[in-house]
Amino acid sequence: MEKKTIITISRQFGSGGRDVGQQLAKQLGIPFYDKELIEIAARESGIDPELFEDAEEKTSMGFHLFGALGYSLGGPLSTITELSINDRVFIVQSQVVKKVAEKGPCVIVGRCADYVLRERNDVLNVFIHADMQDRVGRAVHSYKVDDRNIEDSVLKIDKRRANYYEYYTDFHWGDADNYDIAINTSTFGIEGTVRLLRNIIQAKEI
Amino acid sequence: MEKKTIITISRQFGSGGRDVGQQLAKQLGIPFYDKELIEIAARESGIDPELFEDAEEKTSMGFHLFGALGYSLGGPLSTITELSINDRVFIVQSQVVKKVAEKGPCVIVGRCADYVLRERNDVLNVFIHADMQDRVGRAVHSYKVDDRNIEDSVLKIDKRRANYYEYYTDFHWGDADNYDIAINTSTFGIEGTVRLLRNIIQAKEI
């Protein structure tokens, strides 16, 4: 296997994918990017930071305009002001994702990082999912989701993530073949999943 | 992780999934079922063995009649003679899958075994995929696929596998969250994938 030092994590809501990424980065001693990434992007772009909040879960357009366009508009932000604010946010985020990947090994959760970094060959793309029962449990305990029908809420958040991903990429969110490896944390546990990924990255008897 | 001793493998055509299963079974010293399974089924049912050939790639119906029915018709074959021959073949195969799983640890490739065995908690469901370039290469060299557009042929075989799977189950073939783990053999190689799965099964520092 080619040496993979950058790990992108896409995850179902409530799957523990963010925890996996955070623990993995900690154990490997490499940077972790999630909300942090948004803040860097906001700071660098000058776009109102509030616009970045939950951008991933805001887009609901179901077509591939941007995937078709490609976002390979490499120029400064001023050249793309005719685009919607969501698209501008995505482009700035993508630039930041590329920049942090350029710096060296790291873990990046969400932000279509797998797609943004698709030209690099040192990236391991991971999808984290879990059984609905565990996702509902995590939604209630970790995210304080309080709803009559929690399962619907969990699925709705996934739907928004899928829409965002599919709007900005050419791929279908959650398809096994988008990723190098997809893991069910209900089977392996959070710690087991972290261990599995750590061993892959360290190529220690995988 | 609960002890998983039965491994089901679903696989894209040309991904090397069958090789992974065969080598894994050999290394673990447990039975491997694929064509062998069909022969056992044929022998036990009395149905013409030829009908079993490539049953997996024959069904092209796109709806979920059978998934809706459930195939939990536990009775002898004589009670289900009003069903189509394909459905009867599927039921007999499912009975065989259940029987071999009952006997103990094994590797089962294809045959919707993940769905058939979904009530057991000692099953590890694996999906194996690969990049198109490698699949085309394998199609040409291992399966002697000779076609002007090999990529189309490869995708067509997948399409048939997906139809078969989706006709007989409630799931969407290739969705990451159907499986405990999904692995890209283009990233890990056949040997690397076998090693990864063997370590998971043996719970050796995964």
Side-chain angles (χ1 to χ4, degrees), chain A residues 31-121:
Chain A
F32 171 77
Y33 298 102
D34 186 13
K35 294 276 173 191
E36 289 87 335
L37 181 66
I38 303 167
E39 288 170 20
I40 297 169
R43 249 179 278 132
E44 294 196 353
S45 69
I47 290 181
D48 181 354
E50 274 188 21
L51 289 170
F52 283 80
E53 294 288 334
D54 301 320
E56 191 164 334
E57 281 149 22
K58 268 182 187 162
T59 309
S60 60
M61 290 152 285
F63 58 101
H64 284 239
L65 166 68
F66 217 77
L69 258 179
Y71 56 86
S72 53
L73 310 144
L77 202 60
S78 58
T79 66
I80 49 168
T81 43
E82 72 280 8
L83 293 172
S84 78
I85 190 68
N86 276 349
D87 291 347
R88 288 164 63 200
V89 167
F90 179 77
I91 290 175
V92 175
Q93 284 186 355
S94 299
Q95 288 169 343
V96 174
V97 165
K98 285 180 176 177
K99 200 171 287 181
V100 299
E102 207 52 56
K103 281 188 197 161
C106 61
V107 175
I108 307 171
V109 173
R111 321 292 141 186
C112 305
D114 55 332
Y115 184 78
V116 172
L117 301 175
R118 68 194 179 287
E119 303 296 342
R120 301 182 68 107
N121 56 18

Side-chain angles (χ1 to χ4, degrees), chain A residues 1-2 4 12 124 127 129-131 135 172-185 187-188 191-192 195-196 198-200 204-206, chain B residues 1-2 4 12 124 127 129-131 135 172-185 187-188 191-192 195-196 198-200 204-206:
Chain A
M1 186 173 91
E2 278 179 89
K4 310 283 189 189
Q12 287 182 332
L124 187 82
F127 186 75
H129 56 98
D131 297 348
R135 297 171 62 200
H172 187 254
W173 189 80
D175 267 6
D177 72 354
N178 289 346
Y179 311 96
D180 296 303
I181 189 164
I183 305 175
N184 184 345
T185 53
T187 305
F188 294 93
E191 282 180 26
R195 203 156 51 231
L196 185 58
R198 196 186 64 213
N199 287 347
I200 286 169
K204 205 198 274 176
E205 194 61 55
I206 59 161
Chain B
M1 187 174 91
E2 277 179 89
K4 309 283 190 190
Q12 287 182 333
L124 187 81
F127 186 75
H129 56 99
D131 297 348
R135 297 170 62 198
H172 187 254
W173 189 80
D175 267 5
D177 71 354
N178 288 347
Y179 311 96
D180 294 304
I181 189 163
I183 306 175
N184 184 345
T185 54
T187 305
F188 293 92
E191 282 180 26
R195 202 155 52 229
L196 185 58
R198 196 187 62 212
N199 286 348
I200 286 169
K204 204 198 276 175
E205 195 60 55
I206 59 160

Side-chain angles (χ1 to χ4, degrees), chain B residues 17-160:
Chain B
R18 194 182 175 279
D19 291 346
V20 167
Q22 206 158 27
Q23 290 181 31
L24 181 64
K26 197 178 172 192
Q27 291 185 20
L28 293 171
I30 60 178
F32 170 77
Y33 297 102
D34 184 14
K35 293 274 172 190
E36 290 86 333
L37 182 66
I38 302 167
E39 287 170 19
I40 296 170
R43 248 180 280 132
E44 293 197 353
S45 69
I47 290 180
D48 182 354
E50 274 188 22
L51 289 171
F52 283 81
E53 294 289 332
D54 301 320
E56 190 163 336
E57 280 148 21
K58 267 183 188 163
T59 310
S60 61
M61 291 153 283
F63 58 100
H64 284 239
L65 166 69
F66 217 77
L69 257 179
Y71 56 85
S72 51
L73 310 143
L77 203 60
S78 58
T79 65
I80 49 168
T81 44
E82 73 279 9
L83 293 171
S84 78
I85 191 67
N86 277 349
D87 291 349
R88 288 166 60 201
V89 166
F90 179 77
I91 291 174
V92 176
Q93 285 188 353
S94 299
Q95 288 168 344
V96 175
V97 166
K98 285 181 176 176
K99 201 173 287 182
V100 299
E102 206 54 55
K103 279 188 199 162
C106 61
V107 176
I108 307 170
V109 173
R111 320 293 141 187
C112 306
D114 55 331
Y115 184 77
V116 172
L117 301 176
R118 68 195 180 285
E119 303 295 343
R120 300 183 68 108
N121 56 18
D122 56 352
V123 180
L124 187 81
N125 294 315
V126 179
F127 186 75
I128 299 291
H129 56 99
D131 297 348
M132 182 50 78
Q133 194 183 334
D134 293 334
R135 297 170 62 198
V136 164
R138 211 168 269 117
V140 173
H141 294 109
S142 302
Y143 296 97
K144 314 291 178 203
V145 171
D146 184 18
D147 202 314
R148 285 199 188 164
N149 195 335
I150 296 168
E151 192 170 320
D152 274 358
S153 303
V154 166
L155 289 174
K156 219 168 274 175
I157 295 171
D158 271 3
K159 183 85 186 157
R160 287 203 292 266

